[in-house]
Amino acid sequence: MTTVPLSEDRIPVIVGVGEITDRPKEIAAGLEPLTLLEGALKRAEADSGGKLLGDISSLDIVNFLSWRYRDPERQLADRLGIKPKHAYYGPVRRREPDPLSA
């Protein structure tokens, strides 16, 4: 396997992390996914020690299986008060079985 080195401006860097655990006794009392994402991003920004959310240029969300939204990437951007150049909500893709594993 050959690897192509990344240019310095394409090297991923983690500047802050944020996590929220929500395990209510009653499932109906649980936080909705966008609230969890918003909180985790705000915690990551706080962890970074800077004001970085306003600099987000790409906001990509993996498809939710538990909640239906219309344009969740735009709703999250609105909640955060940001206007990323790229906002994308990825679909769930069905994985085709490997014909060699049958």
Side-chain angles (χ1 to χ4, degrees):
M1 180 171 100
T2 61
T3 59
V4 177
L6 292 174
S7 65
E8 286 189 16
D9 65 333
R10 302 284 300 161
I11 296 172
V13 176
I14 297 172
V15 294
V17 295
E19 178 181 29
I20 294 179
T21 303
D22 182 40
R23 293 189 183 116
K25 290 182 181 183
E26 296 294 325
I27 195 164
L31 297 173
E32 49 120 355
L34 285 183
T35 298
L36 293 167
L37 287 172
E38 178 186 8
L41 284 167
K42 288 179 177 179
R43 287 182 182 188
E45 180 181 55
D47 183 60
S48 76
K51 294 287 184 186
L52 303 176
L53 290 178
D55 294 330
I56 291 175
S57 61
S58 180
L59 181 63
D60 297 68
I61 299 176
V62 177
N63 190 282
F64 301 117
L65 297 177
S66 61
W67 204 281
R68 298 216 185 256
Y69 289 99
R70 173 166 291 224
D71 301 323
E73 71 284 8
R74 295 288 172 207
Q75 289 185 49
L76 182 57
D78 288 346
R79 288 180 182 210
L80 296 169
I82 63 174
K83 299 207 179 295
K85 292 177 185 173
H86 173 84
Y88 182 74
Y89 180 59
V92 172
R93 297 182 195 260
R94 191 170 75 94
R95 190 171 164 192
E96 296 298 324
D98 181 357
L100 299 178
S101 67

